[in-house]
Amino acid sequence: MNQRDVRSWCRVAHLTTVHHPFDPRIFHKQLASLRDAGFDAHLVAPHERTERVHGIPIHGLPRPQNRAHRLALQPRVFRTARALNAALYHIHDPELLPLAGLLKTRTGAQVVYDMHENYRSKGAMLGRFLRALERWAFRWVDHVLIAEQSYRAIVEDHAVPHTYIPNYVRPIGEEHPPPPVEIREPPTRLLYTGTLSDSRGLGTMIDLAARIRRADRPETITLVGICRYPTQRARTEKQIRRGGLGAVVDRVGWDAYVRPSAMPPHYRRADVGLALCEPHPNHVGSIPTKFYEYLHYGLPLICSDIPLWRRFVERHGCGAVVPPGDPAAVLDVLDEWQAHPERYRRCAENAREAASQYRWGPIGERFARLCRHVLPDNMPETLTTESR
């Protein structure tokens, strides 16, 4: 068997039209783990050009503006994916499942589906449709990855093989924990990372900033992430201008995606990690990835009092929970930590200690083993030797 045949047998193509090409779960965790394990890993995703980044070929697609544009891209996605002649296609969007079924029929390849979103957040009708689409595809999908334990009931009803691949932390360029830093007292630098929206606590954080400004308190809030909703961006910008909050709120990204490689300096400068989300269906059954990232940098959490989140914080003793939408309660926590700095210090130490449980390394190895297992039985042995 020649080297070209070996590559085709160990080729895995990840397909998405929804996610950013450098999405942490897709690019920096899953694809990087496959590359490191010797697979010929490719990505087909919206990107301005076709190029190789960190040894991973990205096959660029036009950047769609809405769902209709994404659906119109599917013929091009199919042609690009078909030309790769991969042994395994890894699908990240439910709307690509019919396309994946066609790829499976035409090529005989295996199909893995990655379930990492609760589609109830899309509205009742669309959410039901997407879940129905998934259930239809479970009849022929070879394996399902679930990012949250709460998704297990969805797949167990259909007896589809599935594996839990949580979104644990793999900081870019920092494979090992950062060195311990001197814990600053009192904690005043608050940080939020991730997509910004009202359901993710944007309004609550702006109200918090206004209270800080009116009371002439020392705290600042750094918001690192993109807000994809122009109406919410415009309203927030107006609030910041009218309230004179520019000295309190620092926005990084805001109307543009922030690459994971740009995140570490913001974590290192912070004292506290915020997650003041509303009790939305897409939040109540999931542990936010930002929790793991905050812990990695030794940041105590202040998060909404959602039962799953409360259990996480109490189990690790790494922060405090507050009622959703209650900025005054956040200030109460900060006042307590400032009055009793040993409590803040204990939360920071506990956060750093808990972080070791939530690192991507072992999960990446599990993911690579799974892909090896899913690949056809007649895969050549050279995958584990000369092709690495």
Side-chain angles (χ1 to χ4, degrees), residues 189-210:
R189 291 182 282 191
L190 315 181
L191 174 69
Y192 172 89
T193 61
T195 301
L196 288 152
S197 67
D198 286 343
S199 72
R200 295 172 186 260
L202 176 58
T204 300
M205 290 186 287
I206 296 303
D207 288 347
L208 174 61

mmCIF file with all atom_site columns, all heavy atoms in Angstrom, residues 189-210:
data_model
loop_
_atom_site.group_PDB
_atom_site.id
_atom_site.type_symbol
_atom_site.label_atom_id
_atom_site.label_alt_id
_atom_site.label_comp_id
_atom_site.label_asym_id
_atom_site.label_entity_id
_atom_site.label_seq_id
_atom_site.pdbx_PDB_ins_code
_atom_site.Cartn_x
_atom_site.Cartn_y
_atom_site.Cartn_z
_atom_site.occupancy
_atom_site.B_iso_or_equiv
_atom_site.pdbx_formal_charge
_atom_site.auth_seq_id
_atom_site.auth_comp_id
_atom_site.auth_asym_id
_atom_site.auth_atom_id
_atom_site.pdbx_PDB_model_num
ATOM 1   N N   . ARG A 1 189 ? -10.302 43.275 39.612 1.00 0.00 ? 189 ARG A N   1
ATOM 2   C CA  . ARG A 1 189 ? -10.336 43.159 38.147 1.00 0.00 ? 189 ARG A CA  1
ATOM 3   C C   . ARG A 1 189 ? -11.201 41.965 37.749 1.00 0.00 ? 189 ARG A C   1
ATOM 4   O O   . ARG A 1 189 ? -10.807 40.811 37.909 1.00 0.00 ? 189 ARG A O   1
ATOM 5   C CB  . ARG A 1 189 ? -8.917  43.037 37.607 1.00 0.00 ? 189 ARG A CB  1
ATOM 6   C CG  . ARG A 1 189 ? -8.140  44.340 37.784 1.00 0.00 ? 189 ARG A CG  1
ATOM 7   C CD  . ARG A 1 189 ? -6.747  44.272 37.228 1.00 0.00 ? 189 ARG A CD  1
ATOM 8   N NE  . ARG A 1 189 ? -5.856  43.556 38.123 1.00 0.00 ? 189 ARG A NE  1
ATOM 9   C CZ  . ARG A 1 189 ? -4.522  43.534 37.979 1.00 0.00 ? 189 ARG A CZ  1
ATOM 10  N NH1 . ARG A 1 189 ? -3.961  44.191 36.969 1.00 0.00 ? 189 ARG A NH1 1
ATOM 11  N NH2 . ARG A 1 189 ? -3.779  42.858 38.821 1.00 0.00 ? 189 ARG A NH2 1
ATOM 12  N N   . LEU A 1 190 ? -12.400 42.264 37.245 1.00 0.00 ? 190 LEU A N   1
ATOM 13  C CA  . LEU A 1 190 ? -13.385 41.254 36.901 1.00 0.00 ? 190 LEU A CA  1
ATOM 14  C C   . LEU A 1 190 ? -13.296 40.955 35.412 1.00 0.00 ? 190 LEU A C   1
ATOM 15  O O   . LEU A 1 190 ? -13.115 41.859 34.595 1.00 0.00 ? 190 LEU A O   1
ATOM 16  C CB  . LEU A 1 190 ? -14.799 41.737 37.251 1.00 0.00 ? 190 LEU A CB  1
ATOM 17  C CG  . LEU A 1 190 ? -14.973 42.397 38.633 1.00 0.00 ? 190 LEU A CG  1
ATOM 18  C CD1 . LEU A 1 190 ? -16.422 42.803 38.844 1.00 0.00 ? 190 LEU A CD1 1
ATOM 19  C CD2 . LEU A 1 190 ? -14.491 41.481 39.742 1.00 0.00 ? 190 LEU A CD2 1
ATOM 20  N N   . LEU A 1 191 ? -13.454 39.678 35.064 1.00 0.00 ? 191 LEU A N   1
ATOM 21  C CA  . LEU A 1 191 ? -13.281 39.250 33.680 1.00 0.00 ? 191 LEU A CA  1
ATOM 22  C C   . LEU A 1 191 ? -14.449 38.379 33.241 1.00 0.00 ? 191 LEU A C   1
ATOM 23  O O   . LEU A 1 191 ? -14.904 37.500 33.988 1.00 0.00 ? 191 LEU A O   1
ATOM 24  C CB  . LEU A 1 191 ? -11.983 38.444 33.541 1.00 0.00 ? 191 LEU A CB  1
ATOM 25  C CG  . LEU A 1 191 ? -11.705 37.788 32.179 1.00 0.00 ? 191 LEU A CG  1
ATOM 26  C CD1 . LEU A 1 191 ? -11.406 38.845 31.122 1.00 0.00 ? 191 LEU A CD1 1
ATOM 27  C CD2 . LEU A 1 191 ? -10.554 36.788 32.286 1.00 0.00 ? 191 LEU A CD2 1
ATOM 28  N N   . TYR A 1 192 ? -14.924 38.632 32.024 1.00 0.00 ? 192 TYR A N   1
ATOM 29  C CA  . TYR A 1 192 ? -15.858 37.720 31.363 1.00 0.00 ? 192 TYR A CA  1
ATOM 30  C C   . TYR A 1 192 ? -15.254 37.350 30.019 1.00 0.00 ? 192 TYR A C   1
ATOM 31  O O   . TYR A 1 192 ? -14.804 38.226 29.271 1.00 0.00 ? 192 TYR A O   1
ATOM 32  C CB  . TYR A 1 192 ? -17.226 38.367 31.137 1.00 0.00 ? 192 TYR A CB  1
ATOM 33  C CG  . TYR A 1 192 ? -18.134 37.496 30.282 1.00 0.00 ? 192 TYR A CG  1
ATOM 34  C CD1 . TYR A 1 192 ? -18.948 36.542 30.861 1.00 0.00 ? 192 TYR A CD1 1
ATOM 35  C CD2 . TYR A 1 192 ? -18.121 37.597 28.893 1.00 0.00 ? 192 TYR A CD2 1
ATOM 36  C CE1 . TYR A 1 192 ? -19.744 35.709 30.083 1.00 0.00 ? 192 TYR A CE1 1
ATOM 37  C CE2 . TYR A 1 192 ? -18.910 36.774 28.108 1.00 0.00 ? 192 TYR A CE2 1
ATOM 38  C CZ  . TYR A 1 192 ? -19.725 35.833 28.707 1.00 0.00 ? 192 TYR A CZ  1
ATOM 39  O OH  . TYR A 1 192 ? -20.503 35.017 27.941 1.00 0.00 ? 192 TYR A OH  1
ATOM 40  N N   . THR A 1 193 ? -15.274 36.058 29.674 1.00 0.00 ? 193 THR A N   1
ATOM 41  C CA  . THR A 1 193 ? -14.791 35.624 28.364 1.00 0.00 ? 193 THR A CA  1
ATOM 42  C C   . THR A 1 193 ? -15.868 34.803 27.674 1.00 0.00 ? 193 THR A C   1
ATOM 43  O O   . THR A 1 193 ? -16.611 34.061 28.315 1.00 0.00 ? 193 THR A O   1
ATOM 44  C CB  . THR A 1 193 ? -13.515 34.777 28.490 1.00 0.00 ? 193 THR A CB  1
ATOM 45  O OG1 . THR A 1 193 ? -13.792 33.608 29.271 1.00 0.00 ? 193 THR A OG1 1
ATOM 46  C CG2 . THR A 1 193 ? -12.386 35.566 29.130 1.00 0.00 ? 193 THR A CG2 1
ATOM 47  N N   . GLY A 1 194 ? -15.940 34.935 26.356 1.00 0.00 ? 194 GLY A N   1
ATOM 48  C CA  . GLY A 1 194 ? -16.898 34.160 25.581 1.00 0.00 ? 194 GLY A CA  1
ATOM 49  C C   . GLY A 1 194 ? -17.870 35.045 24.839 1.00 0.00 ? 194 GLY A C   1
ATOM 50  O O   . GLY A 1 194 ? -17.800 36.281 24.887 1.00 0.00 ? 194 GLY A O   1
ATOM 51  N N   . THR A 1 195 ? -18.805 34.409 24.135 1.00 0.00 ? 195 THR A N   1
ATOM 52  C CA  . THR A 1 195 ? -19.820 35.146 23.389 1.00 0.00 ? 195 THR A CA  1
ATOM 53  C C   . THR A 1 195 ? -20.642 36.003 24.336 1.00 0.00 ? 195 THR A C   1
ATOM 54  O O   . THR A 1 195 ? -21.020 35.566 25.429 1.00 0.00 ? 195 THR A O   1
ATOM 55  C CB  . THR A 1 195 ? -20.731 34.170 22.628 1.00 0.00 ? 195 THR A CB  1
ATOM 56  O OG1 . THR A 1 195 ? -19.939 33.386 21.742 1.00 0.00 ? 195 THR A OG1 1
ATOM 57  C CG2 . THR A 1 195 ? -21.777 34.920 21.826 1.00 0.00 ? 195 THR A CG2 1
ATOM 58  N N   . LEU A 1 196 ? -20.938 37.232 23.897 1.00 0.00 ? 196 LEU A N   1
ATOM 59  C CA  . LEU A 1 196 ? -21.688 38.187 24.723 1.00 0.00 ? 196 LEU A CA  1
ATOM 60  C C   . LEU A 1 196 ? -23.113 38.329 24.192 1.00 0.00 ? 196 LEU A C   1
ATOM 61  O O   . LEU A 1 196 ? -23.327 38.492 22.993 1.00 0.00 ? 196 LEU A O   1
ATOM 62  C CB  . LEU A 1 196 ? -20.998 39.543 24.704 1.00 0.00 ? 196 LEU A CB  1
ATOM 63  C CG  . LEU A 1 196 ? -19.686 39.614 25.503 1.00 0.00 ? 196 LEU A CG  1
ATOM 64  C CD1 . LEU A 1 196 ? -18.751 40.665 24.922 1.00 0.00 ? 196 LEU A CD1 1
ATOM 65  C CD2 . LEU A 1 196 ? -19.990 39.929 26.958 1.00 0.00 ? 196 LEU A CD2 1
ATOM 66  N N   . SER A 1 197 ? -24.071 38.258 25.103 1.00 0.00 ? 197 SER A N   1
ATOM 67  C CA  . SER A 1 197 ? -25.474 38.474 24.739 1.00 0.00 ? 197 SER A CA  1
ATOM 68  C C   . SER A 1 197 ? -26.252 38.694 26.024 1.00 0.00 ? 197 SER A C   1
ATOM 69  O O   . SER A 1 197 ? -25.737 38.484 27.129 1.00 0.00 ? 197 SER A O   1
ATOM 70  C CB  . SER A 1 197 ? -26.036 37.270 23.978 1.00 0.00 ? 197 SER A CB  1
ATOM 71  O OG  . SER A 1 197 ? -26.115 36.133 24.825 1.00 0.00 ? 197 SER A OG  1
ATOM 72  N N   . ASP A 1 198 ? -27.501 39.112 25.891 1.00 0.00 ? 198 ASP A N   1
ATOM 73  C CA  . ASP A 1 198 ? -28.326 39.324 27.078 1.00 0.00 ? 198 ASP A CA  1
ATOM 74  C C   . ASP A 1 198 ? -28.496 38.036 27.867 1.00 0.00 ? 198 ASP A C   1
ATOM 75  O O   . ASP A 1 198 ? -28.414 38.035 29.097 1.00 0.00 ? 198 ASP A O   1
ATOM 76  C CB  . ASP A 1 198 ? -29.697 39.873 26.672 1.00 0.00 ? 198 ASP A CB  1
ATOM 77  C CG  . ASP A 1 198 ? -29.627 41.343 26.261 1.00 0.00 ? 198 ASP A CG  1
ATOM 78  O OD1 . ASP A 1 198 ? -28.621 42.004 26.594 1.00 0.00 ? 198 ASP A OD1 1
ATOM 79  O OD2 . ASP A 1 198 ? -30.564 41.824 25.604 1.00 0.00 ? 198 ASP A OD2 1
ATOM 80  N N   . SER A 1 199 ? -28.717 36.907 27.163 1.00 0.00 ? 199 SER A N   1
ATOM 81  C CA  . SER A 1 199 ? -28.921 35.648 27.891 1.00 0.00 ? 199 SER A CA  1
ATOM 82  C C   . SER A 1 199 ? -27.650 35.204 28.610 1.00 0.00 ? 199 SER A C   1
ATOM 83  O O   . SER A 1 199 ? -27.709 34.434 29.564 1.00 0.00 ? 199 SER A O   1
ATOM 84  C CB  . SER A 1 199 ? -29.398 34.547 26.942 1.00 0.00 ? 199 SER A CB  1
ATOM 85  O OG  . SER A 1 199 ? -28.356 34.110 26.095 1.00 0.00 ? 199 SER A OG  1
ATOM 86  N N   . ARG A 1 200 ? -26.504 35.696 28.163 1.00 0.00 ? 200 ARG A N   1
ATOM 87  C CA  . ARG A 1 200 ? -25.226 35.357 28.809 1.00 0.00 ? 200 ARG A CA  1
ATOM 88  C C   . ARG A 1 200 ? -24.781 36.419 29.808 1.00 0.00 ? 200 ARG A C   1
ATOM 89  O O   . ARG A 1 200 ? -23.626 36.451 30.219 1.00 0.00 ? 200 ARG A O   1
ATOM 90  C CB  . ARG A 1 200 ? -24.145 35.150 27.746 1.00 0.00 ? 200 ARG A CB  1
ATOM 91  C CG  . ARG A 1 200 ? -24.426 33.951 26.848 1.00 0.00 ? 200 ARG A CG  1
ATOM 92  C CD  . ARG A 1 200 ? -23.444 33.885 25.703 1.00 0.00 ? 200 ARG A CD  1
ATOM 93  N NE  . ARG A 1 200 ? -23.787 32.825 24.762 1.00 0.00 ? 200 ARG A NE  1
ATOM 94  C CZ  . ARG A 1 200 ? -23.216 31.623 24.718 1.00 0.00 ? 200 ARG A CZ  1
ATOM 95  N NH1 . ARG A 1 200 ? -22.274 31.332 25.588 1.00 0.00 ? 200 ARG A NH1 1
ATOM 96  N NH2 . ARG A 1 200 ? -23.581 30.734 23.829 1.00 0.00 ? 200 ARG A NH2 1
ATOM 97  N N   . GLY A 1 201 ? -25.712 37.304 30.188 1.00 0.00 ? 201 GLY A N   1
ATOM 98  C CA  . GLY A 1 201 ? -25.439 38.228 31.280 1.00 0.00 ? 201 GLY A CA  1
ATOM 99  C C   . GLY A 1 201 ? -24.901 39.585 30.874 1.00 0.00 ? 201 GLY A C   1
ATOM 100 O O   . GLY A 1 201 ? -24.435 40.345 31.736 1.00 0.00 ? 201 GLY A O   1
ATOM 101 N N   . LEU A 1 202 ? -24.970 39.944 29.599 1.00 0.00 ? 202 LEU A N   1
ATOM 102 C CA  . LEU A 1 202 ? -24.425 41.229 29.168 1.00 0.00 ? 202 LEU A CA  1
ATOM 103 C C   . LEU A 1 202 ? -25.101 42.386 29.897 1.00 0.00 ? 202 LEU A C   1
ATOM 104 O O   . LEU A 1 202 ? -24.430 43.274 30.435 1.00 0.00 ? 202 LEU A O   1
ATOM 105 C CB  . LEU A 1 202 ? -24.587 41.383 27.651 1.00 0.00 ? 202 LEU A CB  1
ATOM 106 C CG  . LEU A 1 202 ? -24.136 42.728 27.057 1.00 0.00 ? 202 LEU A CG  1
ATOM 107 C CD1 . LEU A 1 202 ? -22.665 43.001 27.365 1.00 0.00 ? 202 LEU A CD1 1
ATOM 108 C CD2 . LEU A 1 202 ? -24.384 42.761 25.546 1.00 0.00 ? 202 LEU A CD2 1
ATOM 109 N N   . GLY A 1 203 ? -26.437 42.380 29.929 1.00 0.00 ? 203 GLY A N   1
ATOM 110 C CA  . GLY A 1 203 ? -27.148 43.458 30.608 1.00 0.00 ? 203 GLY A CA  1
ATOM 111 C C   . GLY A 1 203 ? -26.806 43.533 32.083 1.00 0.00 ? 203 GLY A C   1
ATOM 112 O O   . GLY A 1 203 ? -26.633 44.637 32.640 1.00 0.00 ? 203 GLY A O   1
ATOM 113 N N   . THR A 1 204 ? -26.702 42.394 32.730 1.00 0.00 ? 204 THR A N   1
ATOM 114 C CA  . THR A 1 204 ? -26.363 42.367 34.155 1.00 0.00 ? 204 THR A CA  1
ATOM 115 C C   . THR A 1 204 ? -24.974 42.946 34.391 1.00 0.00 ? 204 THR A C   1
ATOM 116 O O   . THR A 1 204 ? -24.756 43.692 35.354 1.00 0.00 ? 204 THR A O   1
ATOM 117 C CB  . THR A 1 204 ? -26.422 40.921 34.686 1.00 0.00 ? 204 THR A CB  1
ATOM 118 O OG1 . THR A 1 204 ? -27.735 40.403 34.499 1.00 0.00 ? 204 THR A OG1 1
ATOM 119 C CG2 . THR A 1 204 ? -26.062 40.867 36.160 1.00 0.00 ? 204 THR A CG2 1
ATOM 120 N N   . MET A 1 205 ? -24.019 42.625 33.516 1.00 0.00 ? 205 MET A N   1
ATOM 121 C CA  . MET A 1 205 ? -22.656 43.152 33.699 1.00 0.00 ? 205 MET A CA  1
ATOM 122 C C   . MET A 1 205 ? -22.590 44.653 33.458 1.00 0.00 ? 205 MET A C   1
ATOM 123 O O   . MET A 1 205 ? -21.830 45.363 34.125 1.00 0.00 ? 205 MET A O   1
ATOM 124 C CB  . MET A 1 205 ? -21.685 42.384 32.805 1.00 0.00 ? 205 MET A CB  1
ATOM 125 C CG  . MET A 1 205 ? -21.478 40.946 33.276 1.00 0.00 ? 205 MET A CG  1
ATOM 126 S SD  . MET A 1 205 ? -20.205 40.019 32.381 1.00 0.00 ? 205 MET A SD  1
ATOM 127 C CE  . MET A 1 205 ? -21.032 39.723 30.802 1.00 0.00 ? 205 MET A CE  1
ATOM 128 N N   . ILE A 1 206 ? -23.408 45.166 32.538 1.00 0.00 ? 206 ILE A N   1
ATOM 129 C CA  . ILE A 1 206 ? -23.437 46.615 32.331 1.00 0.00 ? 206 ILE A CA  1
ATOM 130 C C   . ILE A 1 206 ? -24.099 47.291 33.522 1.00 0.00 ? 206 ILE A C   1
ATOM 131 O O   . ILE A 1 206 ? -23.651 48.366 33.978 1.00 0.00 ? 206 ILE A O   1
ATOM 132 C CB  . ILE A 1 206 ? -24.157 46.946 31.011 1.00 0.00 ? 206 ILE A CB  1
ATOM 133 C CG1 . ILE A 1 206 ? -23.374 46.380 29.826 1.00 0.00 ? 206 ILE A CG1 1
ATOM 134 C CG2 . ILE A 1 206 ? -24.312 48.461 30.858 1.00 0.00 ? 206 ILE A CG2 1
ATOM 135 C CD1 . ILE A 1 206 ? -21.938 46.854 29.721 1.00 0.00 ? 206 ILE A CD1 1
ATOM 136 N N   . ASP A 1 207 ? -25.159 46.696 34.070 1.00 0.00 ? 207 ASP A N   1
ATOM 137 C CA  . ASP A 1 207 ? -25.759 47.240 35.300 1.00 0.00 ? 207 ASP A CA  1
ATOM 138 C C   . ASP A 1 207 ? -24.754 47.212 36.439 1.00 0.00 ? 207 ASP A C   1
ATOM 139 O O   . ASP A 1 207 ? -24.688 48.148 37.249 1.00 0.00 ? 207 ASP A O   1
ATOM 140 C CB  . ASP A 1 207 ? -26.993 46.419 35.683 1.00 0.00 ? 207 ASP A CB  1
ATOM 141 C CG  . ASP A 1 207 ? -28.174 46.657 34.763 1.00 0.00 ? 207 ASP A CG  1
ATOM 142 O OD1 . ASP A 1 207 ? -28.123 47.637 33.985 1.00 0.00 ? 207 ASP A OD1 1
ATOM 143 O OD2 . ASP A 1 207 ? -29.136 45.858 34.802 1.00 0.00 ? 207 ASP A OD2 1
ATOM 144 N N   . LEU A 1 208 ? -23.964 46.153 36.517 1.00 0.00 ? 208 LEU A N   1
ATOM 145 C CA  . LEU A 1 208 ? -22.926 46.068 37.538 1.00 0.00 ? 208 LEU A CA  1
ATOM 146 C C   . LEU A 1 208 ? -21.919 47.198 37.369 1.00 0.00 ? 208 LEU A C   1
ATOM 147 O O   . LEU A 1 208 ? -21.523 47.846 38.348 1.00 0.00 ? 208 LEU A O   1
ATOM 148 C CB  . LEU A 1 208 ? -22.231 44.707 37.443 1.00 0.00 ? 208 LEU A CB  1
ATOM 149 C CG  . LEU A 1 208 ? -21.020 44.474 38.340 1.00 0.00 ? 208 LEU A CG  1
ATOM 150 C CD1 . LEU A 1 208 ? -21.394 44.574 39.812 1.00 0.00 ? 208 LEU A CD1 1
ATOM 151 C CD2 . LEU A 1 208 ? -20.399 43.099 38.037 1.00 0.00 ? 208 LEU A CD2 1
ATOM 152 N N   . ALA A 1 209 ? -21.517 47.451 36.131 1.00 0.00 ? 209 ALA A N   1
ATOM 153 C CA  . ALA A 1 209 ? -20.576 48.544 35.871 1.00 0.00 ? 209 ALA A CA  1
ATOM 154 C C   . ALA A 1 209 ? -21.151 49.891 36.285 1.00 0.00 ? 209 ALA A C   1
ATOM 155 O O   . ALA A 1 209 ? -20.438 50.749 36.837 1.00 0.00 ? 209 ALA A O   1
ATOM 156 C CB  . ALA A 1 209 ? -20.202 48.561 34.389 1.00 0.00 ? 209 ALA A CB  1
ATOM 157 N N   . ALA A 1 210 ? -22.440 50.098 36.041 1.00 0.00 ? 210 ALA A N   1
ATOM 158 C CA  . ALA A 1 210 ? -23.079 51.360 36.417 1.00 0.00 ? 210 ALA A CA  1
ATOM 159 C C   . ALA A 1 210 ? -23.069 51.538 37.936 1.00 0.00 ? 210 ALA A C   1
ATOM 160 O O   . ALA A 1 210 ? -22.830 52.644 38.444 1.00 0.00 ? 210 ALA A O   1
ATOM 161 C CB  . ALA A 1 210 ? -24.504 51.399 35.875 1.00 0.00 ? 210 ALA A CB  1
#
